[in-house]
Amino acid sequence: MRAAFISHSDCGRHDTGWDHPEHVGRLRAITRALRDDPELFHTIDHLEGRHATIEELTLAHDPDYIRSVKEIAEQGGGRLDADTVASTGSWDAATAGAGCVLSAVDLSVAGIHPRSFSAVRPPGHHAVRARAMGFCLFGNVALAAHYARSKHGLQRILIVDWDVHHGNGTQALVENEPDIHFVSMHQWPWYPGTGAADDRGPHRTVWNIPKPAGLEPEEYISSLEQGIDAATKGFVPDLILVSAGFDSLAGDPLGGFTLEVDDFEALTRSLVARADSWCGGKLISALEGGYAPDRLAQASVRHLAALAA
């Protein structure tokens, strides 16, 4: 089963400036690392995604907010919140990033590429229905979950978020759907201050796993696996979506977790095995955080290698 690496050149048009943690060098580091691994490079299929349409974006976001992002970009950009900026290319980047993940859903459901990793930016898991937040403009993974249900008729979706920050946007965008289960392991207390363990959502379909910084990697892995077990007790997903934030790596400037690249390979292999058992191998991941570019690239390559195994 060949895995796909999905990207789009327009994701590089989101110009945050080199002093911003979420800069274009993150994606460039991933593509360099892939070229430096010729065996993996030729094992996977390299695909260009597409742009999400405005109609597709409304599956998760308020139409007025969508229009405002487009207008701000057309007017030269600006600051959307304290941490989130837009440039003239940000509309094209954000719609391409979302569109890549929607393309991944299409390819997975069709059985062409059941597994894939979308290397996209801006990230998405902090964006809420009518507001940008935490470097994120549109909720790529949450949008993909709604798209899989509305376009392809899938019913049960599992979202796993291992970014070091709580995926507050993803939770807000999916928690009202009883057949979308959301698992987030994140540093606590940390930005954005949400994701308490007793926050289970209105249908108790949210499993938040707040953890302190500086634990042994095994404790994080075990906690996440237990959360996934709980989220899938009596619930067999038709599709697994992963918010692949690699800022949970040891040494990331915006986090205090201690995971290493080997740990992400192991977590990915575990999810691949689950996907093979549950849903014909349908497993889609999308890049979220990760702000040490070389480390991000190493982990992304190992993650992709496990998807391709």
Side-chain angles (χ1 to χ4, degrees), residues 53-72 91 95 129-131 137-138:
T53 67
I54 289 176
E55 182 180 7
E56 288 167 342
L57 293 173
T58 61
L59 291 171
H61 292 286
D62 181 81
D64 288 340
Y65 167 65
I66 296 167
R67 283 192 292 271
S68 74
V69 173
K70 189 173 190 292
E71 289 170 0
I72 289 169
W91 171 257
T95 56
R129 177 167 171 77
R131 182 163 58 92
L137 275 64
F138 299 129

Side-chain angles (χ1 to χ4, degrees), residues 165-201:
H165 305 99
H166 177 236
N168 64 297
T170 302
Q171 177 176 332
L173 293 172
V174 305
E175 66 181 359
N176 290 313
E177 294 291 341
D179 285 332
I180 303 177
H181 287 195
F182 176 61
V183 181
S184 175
M185 182 182 69
H186 44 271
Q187 186 173 328
W188 177 278
W190 207 235
Y191 180 88
T194 54
D198 60 0
D199 181 3
R200 297 290 317 281

Side-chain angles (χ1 to χ4, degrees), residues 29-291:
I30 294 172
T31 56
R32 281 197 306 270
L34 267 177
R35 286 196 300 268
D36 290 341
D37 189 334
E39 182 178 355
L40 177 62
F41 187 91
H42 293 291
T43 298
I44 60 175
D45 287 335
H46 302 254
L47 306 176
E48 183 171 74
R50 62 174 177 86
H51 291 269
T53 67
I54 289 176
E55 182 180 7
E56 288 167 342
L57 293 173
T58 61
L59 291 171
H61 292 286
D62 181 81
D64 288 340
Y65 167 65
I66 296 167
R67 283 192 292 271
S68 74
V69 173
K70 189 173 190 292
E71 289 170 0
I72 289 169
E74 290 173 344
Q75 293 165 8
R79 189 166 291 278
L80 302 178
D81 81 347
D83 304 306
T84 312
V85 298
S87 67
T88 56
S90 293
W91 171 257
D92 287 341
T95 56
C100 283
V101 189
L102 301 187
S103 292
V105 173
D106 293 335
L107 292 165
S108 184
V109 173
I112 299 169
H113 290 292
R115 298 196 290 266
S116 64
F117 171 55
S118 291
V120 297
R121 60 182 293 274
H125 75 151
H126 294 309
V128 294
R129 177 167 171 77
R131 182 163 58 92
M133 183 177 176
F135 311 164
C136 303
L137 275 64
F138 299 129
N140 303 325
V141 167
L143 179 64
H146 290 296
Y147 178 80
R149 285 164 53 81
S150 65
K151 174 68 181 294
H152 294 289
L154 302 187
Q155 293 298 312
R156 296 172 300 279
I157 312 292
L158 172 67
I159 301 175
V160 177
D161 186 335
W162 64 47
D163 191 282
V164 79
H165 305 99
H166 177 236
N168 64 297
T170 302
Q171 177 176 332
L173 293 172
V174 305
E175 66 181 359
N176 290 313
E177 294 291 341
D179 285 332
I180 303 177
H181 287 195
F182 176 61
V183 181
S184 175
M185 182 182 69
H186 44 271
Q187 186 173 328
W188 177 278
W190 207 235
Y191 180 88
T194 54
D198 60 0
D199 181 3
R200 297 290 317 281
H203 299 287
R204 298 188 66 79
T205 52
V206 173
W207 284 262
N208 281 314
I209 308 167
K211 305 294 288 186
L215 301 178
E216 291 297 316
E218 294 75 16
E219 295 194 46
Y220 296 118
I221 294 170
S222 175
S223 294
L224 182 57
E225 294 276 12
Q226 289 172 23
I228 296 169
D229 287 341
T232 55
K233 186 176 181 180
F235 179 89
V236 179
D238 299 316
L239 172 68
I240 302 173
L241 296 167
V242 178
S243 272
F246 296 107
D247 45 7
S248 40
L249 279 162
D252 190 278
L254 297 190
F257 277 9
T258 60
L259 295 171
E260 296 292 343
V261 293
D262 290 348
D263 299 318
F264 287 102
E265 181 173 0
L267 283 170
T268 306
R269 288 183 180 275
S270 174
L271 283 173
V272 165
R274 291 172 184 265
D276 286 344
S277 173
W278 290 332
C279 52
K282 291 191 287 294
L283 172 58
I284 295 166
S285 71
L287 180 64
E288 299 283 2
Y291 305 104

Side-chain angles (χ1 to χ4, degrees), residues 19-30:
D19 58 343
H20 193 284
E22 203 291 288
H23 56 70
V24 70
R26 301 172 65 236
L27 293 189
R28 293 176 182 174
I30 294 172

